[in-house]
Amino acid sequence: MQLAHVLDVLQELHVASGHPELAAVERFGTDATPGGPSPAGLRLRYGTGSFAYLWGAVWAGETAMAVPEDLPPPSHRASRAVVFAAQLLDVARPDAFRTWELCALRDLGPAAARGKAPLGLRINSAEGTSFLLRATAAGGPTREPDTEPHPSYRIPVSGAGAPDRAG
């Protein structure tokens, strides 16, 4: 499996999710493998004007984490994006992936939580290749809220537009 295919699956799931925060889901970068000068990834643009990025990375020191039921607040945009991606995978369970796990990355995160904040997603394909997606973010013109702006949103599990079975 190639990184591009992993990103295809995640892009499809994000678009199908219909999350009210997402204004656009776009690809960026040209590297076919993680670790190069033009990392390939997904750019998630939000209605507030902020961005989150999930991109192929090489990083030493991962700590597996349970996927929380609730998303971090928008003020923690990178963690929110990677947790949402893991939640999408938990619902869709794409055939192309054998396993995935949310992870903290050594030396990354807020000062009080270095190496403890969800900022990575390890994806193991059905054919045995493994990819790490790192989450980063860029702020928009306004301050992001510290509370959940869409408390009634749920990932669709069936019907038109649902991220049921990608792959």
Side-chain angles (χ1 to χ4, degrees):
M1 174 172 278
Q2 301 281 328
L3 175 59
H5 188 219
V6 170
L7 297 173
D8 288 344
V9 171
L10 284 172
Q11 184 173 17
E12 181 181 321
L13 292 176
H14 277 83
V15 169
S17 76
H19 197 287
E21 276 187 309
L22 287 172
V25 182
E26 306 160 326
R27 294 285 280 281
F28 69 90
T30 58
D31 290 344
T33 59
S38 179
L42 289 182
R43 177 178 25 251
L44 308 171
R45 184 171 48 88
Y46 297 91
T48 60
S50 65
F51 293 87
Y53 305 90
L54 300 172
W55 48 278
V58 176
W59 201 266
E62 298 173 31
T63 302
M65 306 179 74
V67 177
E69 187 174 315
D70 296 325
L71 291 173
S75 58
H76 297 268
R77 186 57 77 191
S79 290
R80 185 175 176 86
V82 77
V83 168
F84 185 63
Q87 289 176 345
L88 286 172
L89 290 171
D90 284 349
V91 170
R93 310 205 66 74
D95 292 334
F97 302 159
R98 182 173 24 101
T99 61
W100 49 87
E101 63 185 356
L102 189 61
C103 50
L105 301 175
R106 189 179 69 208
D107 300 327
L108 292 181
R114 294 265 189 251
K116 296 179 178 135
L119 291 170
L121 182 62
R122 170 66 62 191
I123 296 175
N124 298 300
S125 76
E127 65 184 37
T129 52
S130 180
F131 297 92
L132 173 67
L133 298 180
R134 181 175 165 202
T136 55
T142 60
R143 180 174 164 78
E144 294 283 8
D146 290 323
T147 58
E148 177 57 54
H150 305 284
S152 63
Y153 172 80
R154 299 290 175 263
I155 295 171
V157 293
S158 63
D164 278 330
R165 303 294 289 179

